[in-house]
């Protein structure tokens, strides 16, 4: 999902689709169907604020393609949200659900607001207001939102409640990312990091690298990175050389490393809810604190960018050592195309973002399945199923890359686009 400079995010998404469609030799009429979202909702709805005034909020929902099943995708609360961003994210969700072969289409939504400017009660009324507008067009068989930037499991609970009141029956599967005990699934918190580690395990296998002798350097220490760091050690027996994070106080990023290996659980215990590690406590525990980019120049086998988009660029790509064999993109769009081209020439294997970080949506799908059955799995059952899905997805993409002699990112698009096109064909749309 890495982007260019002058195109907006939706044009970039269309360009990526065009590339995959050309490599597949897809009928241009089929590509034309896939280049635009099926349904786009633009909402303007009033909400009563705490001071008694009325404020109009703008919301979006894009149901990009539902050939393979109900559309699925997060709901963002962000002041800079645009319709084109939501359309691009909905397209990427379509390919993400298809590449992990879960029977869902892609969607995305948003409300133009900075959630930090709202009180808890105002947030609740905005959530209920969005459902008030959308409830006839969402549902477990239609479109299933989830938390994303600026939204929380509590907000999902309010939205589920509002939907249930409208339809007159308990329908937890309308939304995922709910709290455990309120319709949520065990394993969801760690799911994206778990999926990152499963795809790394599969990549190490095909490259014939011993996981116990492999090392990793991680950018970020939020939800994805914290569990990737812990599970890389627990499940694969490797060593974490460093993690990095944004320091909210100093307004800059730092890298935290330790020669004997980073202890993810310990660092998690001294990290705040925004992913900032307490420097004094880390130093006292023997961690070396270096500058922001230090994670990139570590002599690791694997790099996991798990913080931001556009973090490996043409300017810093030369810092990457020859020891690096795999880049597992935990974040969305961490590698800009110029840097990717250089790294591919060096023979580095990418696990592209929408494959690497698909563990979260896969677990959301499991949540919905459990809601439908009204029967809940143990954490081990969730993880076993997640492992099966993620490793099968990796193998399908790797096989496509080998057969068609393309890189892993194009191969992932080809697998996904082919599956969506096939579903449209089966339904007689094309
Ligand atoms: P998060 O907000 O929990 O954590 C982000 C982390 O990045 C924090 O530790 C923060 O300090 C760090 N960070 C921010 N700027 C930095 C910088 N300049 N240098 C180093 N570190 C920096 O986010 P998350 O949920 O872990 O998501 C990380 C990425 O993964 C995002 O791109 C997100 O879109 C993607 N993703 C997340 C999920 C999920 O389930 N959480 C699923 C798919 C994709």
């Amino acid at each position: 999902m890495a982007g260019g400079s002058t195109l907006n995010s939706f044009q970039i998404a269309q360009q990526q689709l065009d590339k995959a469609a050309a490599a597949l030799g897809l009928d241009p009429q089929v590509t034309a169907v896939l280049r635009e979202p099926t349904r786009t909702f633009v909402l303007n709805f009033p909400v009563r604020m705490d001071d008694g005034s009325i404020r109009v909020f703008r919301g979006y929902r894009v149901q990009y393609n539902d050939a393979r099943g109900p559309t699925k995708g997060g709901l963002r609360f962000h002041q800079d949200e645009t319709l084109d961003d939501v359309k691009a994210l909905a397209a990427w969700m379509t390919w993400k659900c298809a590449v992990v072969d879960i029977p869902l289409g892609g969607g995305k939504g948003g409300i133009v607001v900075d959630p930090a400017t709202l009180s808890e009660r105002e947030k609740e009324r905005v959530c209920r207001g969005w459902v008030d507008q959308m409830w006839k067009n969402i549902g477990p068989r239609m479109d299933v939102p989830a938390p994303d930037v600026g939204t929380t499991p509590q907000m999902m609970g309010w939205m589920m409640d509002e939907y249930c009141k409208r339809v007159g029956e308990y329908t937890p599967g309308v939304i995922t990312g709910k709290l455990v005990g309120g319709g949520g699934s065990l394993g969801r918190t760690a799911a994206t990091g778990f999926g990152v580690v499963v795809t790394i395990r599969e990549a190490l296998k095909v490259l014939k690298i011993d996981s116990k002798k492999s090392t990793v350097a991680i950018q970020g220490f939020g939800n994805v990175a914290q569990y990737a760091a812990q599970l890389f050690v627990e499940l694969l027996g490797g060593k974490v050389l460093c993690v990095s994070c944004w320091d909210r106080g100093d307004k800059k990023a730092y890298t935290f490393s330790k020669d004997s290996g980073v202890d993810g659980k310990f660092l998690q215990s001294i990290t705040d809810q925004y992913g900032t590690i307490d420097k004094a406590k880390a130093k006292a525990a023997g961690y070396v604190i270096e500058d922001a980019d230090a994670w990139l120049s570590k002599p690791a086998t694997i790099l996991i960018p798990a913080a931001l988009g556009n973090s490996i660029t043409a300017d810093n790509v030369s810092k990457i050592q020859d020891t690096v064999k795999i880049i597992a993109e935990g974040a969305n769009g961490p590698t800009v195309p110029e840097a990717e081209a250089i790294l591919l020439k060096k023979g580095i294997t990418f696990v592209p973002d929408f494959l690497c970080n698909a563990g979260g949506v896969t677990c959301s799908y499991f949540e919905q399945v459990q809601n439908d059955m009204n029967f809940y799995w143990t954490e081990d059952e969730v993880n076993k199923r997640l492992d099966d899905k993620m490793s099968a997805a990796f193998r399908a993409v790797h096989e496509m890359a080998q057969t068609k002699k393309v890189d892993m990112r194009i191969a992932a698009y080809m697998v996904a686009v082919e599956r969506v096109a096939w579903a449209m064909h089966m339904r007689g749309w094309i």
Side-chain angles (χ1 to χ4, degrees), residues 96 188 192 219-225 244-246 253 274-276 306-309 330-332 357 360:
K96 189 186 280 205
R188 175 62 186 90
T192 305
Q219 186 193 34
F221 202 58
N223 174 265
V224 179
S244 71
C245 76
W246 181 257
Y274 305 101
T276 295
L308 308 165
N332 287 323
N357 65 34

Side-chain angles (χ1 to χ4, degrees), residues 101-378:
D101 203 13
I102 53 180
L104 298 170
K108 205 77 174 190
I111 294 179
V112 187
V113 63
D114 175 358
T117 63
L118 300 176
S119 71
E120 282 301 289
R121 294 280 69 85
E122 287 169 343
K123 274 184 211 165
E124 179 174 347
R125 287 194 290 269
V126 172
C127 286
R128 291 185 188 276
W130 189 89
V131 175
D132 188 27
Q133 296 304 316
M134 279 301 297
W135 71 276
K136 285 189 178 152
N137 294 291
I138 59 173
R141 301 282 176 269
M142 249 190 276
D143 181 22
V144 185
D148 205 296
V149 175
T151 48
T152 61
Q154 171 64 76
M155 289 155 103
M156 300 303 109
W158 292 326
M159 289 181 145
M160 176 196 86
D161 180 69
E162 191 62 31
Y163 180 83
C164 294
K165 284 177 179 154
R166 302 280 159 173
V167 297
E169 58 183 37
Y170 182 59
T171 319
V174 64
I175 205 154
T176 62
K178 304 179 293 295
L179 290 165
V180 172
S185 173
L186 290 170
R188 175 62 186 90
T189 315
T192 305
F194 184 93
V196 169
V197 171
V198 170
T199 59
I200 288 174
R201 184 193 67 207
E202 296 303 308
L204 287 168
K205 262 191 226 165
V206 300
L207 295 173
K208 300 192 176 21
I209 299 173
D210 182 355
S211 67
K212 292 193 180 62
K213 290 189 187 138
S214 62
T215 54
V216 68
I218 303 178
Q219 186 193 34
F221 202 58
N223 174 265
V224 179
Q226 288 176 15
Y227 290 97
Q230 291 173 43
L231 294 167
F232 181 73
V233 178
E234 275 173 44
L235 303 180
L236 305 189
K239 185 158 106 176
V240 179
L241 299 181
C242 67
V243 301
S244 71
C245 76
W246 181 257
D247 190 287
R248 290 190 306 127
D250 296 356
K251 298 202 182 333
K252 59 187 281 218
Y254 293 106
T255 299
F256 294 72
S257 52
K258 200 174 191 184
D259 282 346
S260 57
V262 165
D263 177 347
K265 259 206 181 87
F266 167 71
L267 282 188
Q268 191 180 31
S269 74
I270 58 164
T271 301
D272 71 13
Q273 59 169 313
Y274 305 101
T276 295
I277 300 170
D278 185 319
K279 289 202 296 298
K281 287 184 181 158
K283 220 172 192 168
Y287 284 82
V288 176
I289 302 174
E290 297 166 276
D291 69 12
D293 261 3
W295 75 280
L296 205 57
S297 48
K298 294 283 171 197
T301 324
I302 302 146
L303 298 180
I304 307 180
L308 308 165
N310 300 338
S311 55
I312 302 177
T313 64
D315 293 337
N316 64 20
V317 68
S318 61
K319 294 189 175 176
I320 295 178
Q321 302 291 308
D322 290 341
T323 52
V324 174
K325 304 293 176 230
I326 297 167
I327 295 183
E329 296 182 327
N332 287 323
T335 319
V336 307
E338 298 92 307
E340 185 186 20
I342 293 167
L343 295 167
L344 285 174
K345 266 198 197 129
K346 282 178 75 176
I348 289 178
T349 299
F350 275 83
V351 184
D353 48 12
F354 72 99
L355 165 63
C356 190
N357 65 34
V361 73
T362 305
C363 197
S364 280
Y365 161 62
F366 294 160
E367 178 178 334
Q368 223 201 337
V369 171
Q370 294 169 81
N371 291 158
D372 251 13
M373 295 188 296
N374 208 8
F375 178 79
Y376 290 80
W377 302 331
T378 64

Side-chain angles (χ1 to χ4, degrees), residues 349-425:
T349 299
F350 275 83
V351 184
D353 48 12
F354 72 99
L355 165 63
C356 190
N357 65 34
V361 73
T362 305
C363 197
S364 280
Y365 161 62
F366 294 160
E367 178 178 334
Q368 223 201 337
V369 171
Q370 294 169 81
N371 291 158
D372 251 13
M373 295 188 296
N374 208 8
F375 178 79
Y376 290 80
W377 302 331
T378 64
E379 193 162 353
D380 281 350
E381 283 175 287
V382 171
N383 287 342
K384 164 82 181 67
R385 290 183 162 96
L386 193 52
D387 193 327
D388 288 349
K389 277 280 172 209
M390 293 301 298
S391 39
F394 180 92
R395 285 195 299 273
V397 172
H398 184 252
E399 194 183 316
M400 179 69 89
Q402 297 294 103
T403 322
K404 301 286 180 188
K405 302 201 181 338
V406 294
D407 65 66
M408 288 285 284
R409 192 181 313 279
I410 297 179
Y413 271 103
M414 289 169 76
V415 168
V417 169
E418 193 170 47
R419 285 178 179 164
V420 177
W422 172 246
M424 295 202 301
H425 173 69

